[in-house]
Amino acid sequence: MQMIKSRKHAQSRFNQQMSAALAVMLLPVAAHAADAGTDPVIVAGSNQTLQEVRVKGDVINDFKADKATSAKYTEKLVDTAQSLTVIKKELIEQQGAVTLTEALRNTPGVGAFFLGENGSTTTGDGIYMRGFDASGSIYVDGVRDVGSISRDTFNIEQIDVLKGPAGTDNGRSSPTGAINLVSKKPLLEDAYMGSVTVGSGSQKRVSADLNKVINADTGTAFRLNLLDQDSGNPARDVVNNKRWAIAPSVAFGLNGPTRVYLNYLHVDQNNIPDGGVLTIGLPGWTPPAPVVIKAATATTPAVLGPSFDFMAGAKPVDPKNFYGSVLDFDKVKADMFTARIEHDFAGGAKLQSTTRYGRTKQDYLLTSFMSTGANLRNVVAGSNPDSWMMARTNLNYKDQLNEIITNQTTVTADFDGGALKHTVVAGLELINEKQVNYTNVNAPGATGLPLVSIYHPDSSQPVTASQVSLVRNGARGDGSTTTESVYLFDTAKLGDKWIFNAGVRLDHYNTSYNGVTVQAAATPQTIPVGTLLANSLTASDNLLNGKLSALYKPTADSSVYALVATSKAPPGGTNFTLSSAANSSANPNYDPQITTNYEFGTKWDLLKQKLSLSAAAYRTDVRNEIEVDPNNAANFFQTGKKRVQGIELGVTGELMRSWLISAGYTRMSTQVVSGKVVTASGDNLLSYTPKQAFTLWTSYTLPMGLQIGGGARFSDKLMRGTDGAVGTPAYADSYWVYDAMASYPVNKHVDLRLNVYNLADKQYVQAINKSGYRYTPGAPRSASLTANFKF
């Protein structure tokens, strides 16, 4: 990994790598040329030649979707005036992507770039999108899913990625979009499919997708999706991803006007989490500051310990090193029950009502670390680096319970308003969300974790109860948000050239938070030590969001549009936690964070609607950020403002017969318009947001059935946040990664697929934490072999 020397060098390097990526995309052309000719057929024993007869059928386009699944989007994607990317399961399966994070690589500039705060680590799907954390804006079938879980793709039909404020669609949300996972549903056809995968990092995975028609006359069908996985990580020692899941669903009335779906999802994870790797020796790293033995006074300077300057030439640690302990675990149990009713009225109106109860319980413990001067041991001038040790002072835990119960009811109707033809969507949403976080502490007298070697960590080192014994101490944070929402969308068509869309949503929310703490010391009021003290806070308000767009159709399969949309995030809106601290955006005395998005774009469906092209330019302003008064550190105001603007290009579909493609490019410019700069480098940019990103996947099917494919991914450098850490890398360098795939049908029931990742074995930083002490290394060259079965 090398740091970019200059902007000119970075641009040259990007152009070179982009050329290589395009070369990957054009590889199937040669194969297509071999299949392009039409040879005559010579009849044996005759001088006659017969013209070859070819039977042509419709080619199923496996990558391009026509519509999003939400009932709030009534038009095709080409007629939808907003950046909306649909990732279909066929693309996900070709790439061997098994998690949401892996699937989201198909949309540029979206990913898990942030490792965590200081000694803590982000758990579940920590997704950043266009400069902001979007992990609180993940939905399953249109219902928010806030549990800290790494979501699997085994029960996913497609993923809809909405970019830009989604406040009118979903209520409170990330400033820059939302992610909706669409579950598989029963179908009126018998189908039995399964897959077995083995690969690098001891990957072992089995899944099944079984669909059975129970009664064709009544439209009753049953579908069952199953998963069992026990896999290591090819990039890391010890880290393990183990989970099993079951998703049964039954449908009634599939061939009638009233359809009922009953779905259940249970996921059980038992992982060994990844706390990352030390950044020692990486570009941008410098030796830590000496330990302060005695603080400075008004008359005497501070007394410092020995200098660590001799570490300037320290080599990087092995990216596979695991610095956790035998204590580490990540156990998640998630249950989700969903009932959906759909009804088609005689006049053409449609009703959809979804009711859900969800529960996610996470027990998580990670032995975390920071390589500060105070934590280093045996690190003295002239010593052997193999003897250098480090204290692991952070036990990062999460003892959390999330629950949700909701109903969403939507009615869609068409009516003729004279010159305008309207499609109206009206809805009501009632939702209650709860989150409880329990506090765990080390038992009194526990001595703490044993030291760990910096270059040769031993994760099997035993930890006794006298060293670590975490128990609940009675403290907890108990938050709940109840929301009542009404929304209305109107899509008006003027002739066959103009489409206007207006939407408005009103949310009334009530958040209550009860923070229970433990009295640590005696007070003048003689409150006994150990007494539980409760601090109750509430916040209640109305949120009004809207969006307005105008779209012009140059042709039947193209559009040019303009959009303005808003989104709002109230105090405590993400984690149901309120705070009385003046510097916290969760303080109920503050106003909601407000986002406004402006977007201009165009979309074109070409080649008989088999190929989709899109381009958009946007600007997103986020205001009401909390900022400290420069003249009085005790005062805080909502004067902060951030801006993200850029362009995004996309292409999805079939370039020519048997040749599929999915690609995207984004270039973003970010800045803090007013307020404190948040990057460690001091540059006026937003952290964890690549300036440029590119993604490509393409595949071609040869006449004998062999399918070959490949892809490329580019992510520009990532600026990390700032928290006062000194000497750690200020950013993670840019990188290119190339992947390849080959699939062959052994017979009509079995096909084999080989995926090879990171062909060039590139070493890169996938995510970095806020202080810069730790990073997540990208996976090295690795491979997986999958056998798919269908009957």
Side-chain angles (χ1 to χ4, degrees):
M1 292 170 288
Q2 296 180 347
M3 307 290 270
I4 294 179
K5 301 299 183 181
S6 67
R7 186 181 303 272
K8 180 178 179 181
H9 176 69
Q11 188 65 36
S12 174
R13 180 177 172 186
F14 178 83
N15 291 337
Q16 293 172 3
Q17 298 290 353
M18 179 65 81
S19 298
L22 293 176
V24 172
M25 183 181 74
L26 295 172
L27 280 176
V29 174
H32 179 81
D35 186 39
T38 301
D39 298 327
V41 178
I42 301 175
V43 181
S46 171
N47 294 327
Q48 294 181 327
T49 60
L50 301 179
Q51 183 66 34
E52 180 183 10
V53 177
R54 289 180 178 266
V55 179
K56 294 184 178 181
D58 292 334
V59 177
I60 298 176
N61 193 326
D62 289 333
F63 290 176
K64 181 179 176 293
D66 290 327
K67 291 183 65 176
T69 55
S70 172
K72 299 163 189 172
Y73 288 88
T74 59
E75 304 304 310
K76 297 188 297 183
L77 289 178
V78 70
D79 294 334
T80 299
Q82 191 162 356
S83 293
L84 181 55
T85 301
V86 176
I87 306 170
K88 295 183 64 178
K89 68 179 176 64
E90 289 81 4
L91 174 59
I92 296 171
E93 290 171 353
Q94 274 196 24
Q95 297 172 340
V98 299
T99 65
L100 172 61
T101 300
E102 292 174 347
L104 288 176
R105 293 171 180 168
N106 291 292
T107 180
V110 179
F113 306 129
F114 179 47
L115 181 56
E117 295 266 358
N118 301 320
S120 64
T121 297
T122 300
T123 66
D125 294 315
I127 306 298
Y128 263 67
M129 180 162 57
R130 287 188 178 178
F132 292 88
D133 185 358
S135 56
S137 297
I138 298 175
Y139 299 80
V140 176
D141 299 321
V143 178
R144 191 187 310 274
D145 185 30
V146 294
S148 295
I149 185 171
S150 297
R151 295 162 182 85
D152 198 282
T153 61
F154 84 105
N155 191 42
I156 300 302
E157 191 70 32
Q158 69 182 47
I159 301 171
D160 298 340
V161 183
L162 176 65
K163 296 186 178 180
T168 315
D169 303 277
N170 303 314
R172 71 179 195 276
S173 62
S174 165
T176 47
I179 300 164
N180 184 42
L181 285 68
V182 182
S183 303
K184 296 177 180 177
K185 297 190 297 185
L187 306 171
L188 276 181
E189 61 179 68
D190 290 342
Y192 309 98
M193 295 174 286
S195 66
V196 178
T197 301
V198 295
S200 304
S202 301
Q203 183 182 14
K204 300 178 290 293
R205 178 183 172 93
V206 179
S207 65
D209 184 354
L210 314 173
N211 193 93
K212 175 66 178 177
V213 178
I214 305 300
N215 188 317
D217 294 332
T218 61
T220 304
F222 175 77
R223 191 167 185 172
L224 179 64
N225 279 271
L226 301 167
L227 167 71
D228 189 22
Q229 174 173 313
D230 188 358
S231 300
N233 186 324
R236 311 286 289 114
D237 291 337
V238 182
V239 174
N240 187 256
N241 297 297
K242 184 177 182 180
R243 55 184 175 268
W244 68 272
I246 181 171
S249 57
V250 61
F252 307 93
L254 290 177
N255 51 4
T258 302
R259 300 167 296 280
V260 178
Y261 300 90
L262 301 176
N263 308 320
Y264 173 67
L265 172 67
H266 175 80
V267 180
D268 194 316
Q269 295 183 355
N270 187 6
N271 304 329
I272 298 177
D274 186 1
V277 182
L278 290 166
T279 55
I280 288 178
L282 293 189
W285 180 88
T286 59
V291 177
V292 177
I293 298 176
K294 184 178 180 181
T297 67
T299 57
T300 61
V303 178
L304 304 179
S307 170
F308 295 104
D309 289 346
F310 66 92
M311 294 181 67
K315 66 178 182 179
V317 303
D318 187 337
K320 288 194 172 185
N321 280 357
F322 179 77
Y323 294 91
S325 71
V326 294
L327 300 175
D328 296 351
F329 61 85
D330 181 11
K331 298 179 180 179
V332 178
K333 289 187 177 181
D335 294 277
M336 183 186 299
F337 176 79
T338 306
R340 172 170 288 180
I341 300 174
E342 298 176 354
H343 180 71
D344 301 334
F345 294 97
K350 298 180 180 180
L351 178 143
Q352 182 183 95
S353 182
T354 302
T355 301
R356 173 173 296 165
Y357 170 75
R359 184 181 189 274
T360 302
K361 180 70 176 73
Q362 182 182 31
D363 294 302
Y364 174 93
L365 178 63
L366 173 71
T367 303
S368 191
F369 52 87
M370 292 190 294
S371 56
T372 62
N375 290 337
L376 299 181
R377 302 287 188 273
N378 302 338
V379 182
V380 295
S383 62
N384 185 346
D386 290 344
S387 68
W388 294 356
M389 307 291 284
M390 177 180 62
R392 297 170 295 183
T393 56
N394 301 303
L395 287 171
N396 179 27
Y397 70 90
K398 184 180 285 187
D399 187 352
Q400 184 182 92
L401 173 66
N402 283 281
E403 289 184 289
I404 181 173
I405 183 168
T406 183
N407 175 264
Q408 299 177 5
T409 300
T410 299
V411 176
T412 304
D414 298 326
F415 69 91
D416 195 337
L420 296 174
K421 295 183 178 180
H422 297 265
T423 300
V424 174
V425 179
L428 170 68
E429 181 176 359
L430 306 174
I431 182 170
N432 177 257
E433 301 162 277
K434 296 180 180 179
Q435 185 178 95
V436 182
N437 284 283
Y438 297 96
T439 300
N440 287 251
V441 297
N442 212 355
T447 59
L449 289 160
L451 300 177
V452 64
S453 170
I454 289 177
Y455 286 101
H456 306 286
D458 181 7
S459 62
S460 65
Q461 198 173 10
V463 178
T464 65
S466 63
Q467 294 172 318
V468 174
S469 182
L470 280 179
V471 294
R472 287 183 180 177
N473 68 345
R476 68 184 186 278
D478 190 346
S480 174
T481 297
T482 300
T483 308
E484 300 91 25
S485 307
V486 291
Y487 49 86
L488 180 68
F489 297 87
D490 181 15
T491 301
K493 297 181 180 180
L494 178 61
D496 58 0
K497 291 294 186 181
W498 288 95
I499 301 177
F500 303 95
N501 180 271
V504 63
R505 180 185 179 110
L506 177 64
D507 297 280
H508 175 75
Y509 73 90
N510 189 296
T511 298
S512 61
Y513 177 72
N514 188 31
V516 179
T517 59
V518 178
Q519 179 65 25
T523 69
Q525 291 78 25
T526 66
I527 300 176
V529 173
T531 301
L532 296 179
L533 305 176
N535 180 27
S536 298
L537 298 170
T538 61
S540 180
D541 201 353
N542 297 318
L543 302 178
L544 182 65
N545 284 298
K547 65 179 178 180
L548 181 66
S549 66
L551 180 146
Y552 175 74
K553 296 182 64 60
T555 67
D557 296 323
S558 64
S559 66
V560 179
Y561 66 87
L563 165 76
V564 60
T566 67
S567 183
K568 295 178 181 177
T574 301
N575 55 12
F576 321 106
T577 300
L578 297 175
S579 172
S580 58
N583 64 342
S584 173
S585 61
N587 190 313
N589 294 322
Y590 288 131
D591 294 328
Q593 179 193 71
I594 300 176
T595 302
T596 305
N597 182 73
Y598 307 92
E599 182 174 319
F600 299 90
T602 183
K603 300 180 182 181
W604 295 75
D605 279 354
L606 307 175
L607 304 179
K608 298 182 179 180
Q609 301 179 345
K610 294 179 181 179
L611 184 70
S612 173
L613 304 180
S614 64
Y618 62 89
R619 190 179 80 183
T620 302
D621 290 327
V622 181
R623 64 183 190 274
N624 283 356
E625 295 272 309
I626 309 302
E627 297 296 339
V628 64
D629 185 343
N631 300 315
N632 186 347
N635 295 332
F636 292 84
F637 303 99
Q638 287 191 281
T639 57
K641 182 179 179 180
K642 297 176 181 177
R643 174 172 294 168
V644 181
Q645 58 188 8
I647 61 170
E648 186 162 329
L649 310 176
V651 54
T652 305
E654 189 180 54
L655 284 169
M656 57 180 68
R657 183 178 175 85
S658 302
W659 185 6
L660 302 176
I661 186 173
S662 173
Y665 169 76
T666 185
R667 183 181 181 92
M668 291 179 279
S669 171
T670 68
Q671 64 173 314
V672 178
V673 178
S674 61
K676 182 181 178 181
V677 174
V678 296
T679 59
S681 64
D683 294 326
N684 187 10
L685 302 170
L686 298 188
S687 55
Y688 313 108
T689 303
K691 183 176 182 179
Q692 295 183 97
F694 174 77
T695 180
L696 162 72
W697 184 265
T698 183
S699 66
Y700 183 81
T701 304
L702 296 165
M704 76 286 292
L706 175 65
Q707 186 179 61
I708 57 174
R713 289 175 283 121
F714 171 78
S715 180
D716 221 333
K717 66 180 182 181
L718 296 174
M719 297 291 183
R720 70 167 177 84
T722 178
D723 60 359
V726 177
T728 55
Y731 63 87
D733 203 0
S734 61
Y735 61 86
W736 279 91
V737 175
Y738 302 96
D739 305 319
M741 179 275 299
S743 177
Y744 183 74
V746 178
N747 54 48
K748 65 179 181 179
H749 297 300
V750 181
D751 67 78
L752 299 177
R753 186 186 72 245
L754 175 66
N755 290 91
V756 181
Y757 307 102
N758 196 354
L759 290 169
D761 202 20
K762 172 71 175 179
Q763 291 189 16
Y764 63 98
V765 175
Q766 177 180 305
I768 190 167
N769 81 319
K770 187 174 182 179
S771 60
Y773 289 110
R774 298 177 292 117
Y775 77 98
T776 301
R781 185 187 297 118
S782 57
S784 66
L785 180 64
T786 301
N788 295 306
F789 307 91
K790 55 184 177 181
F791 299 94

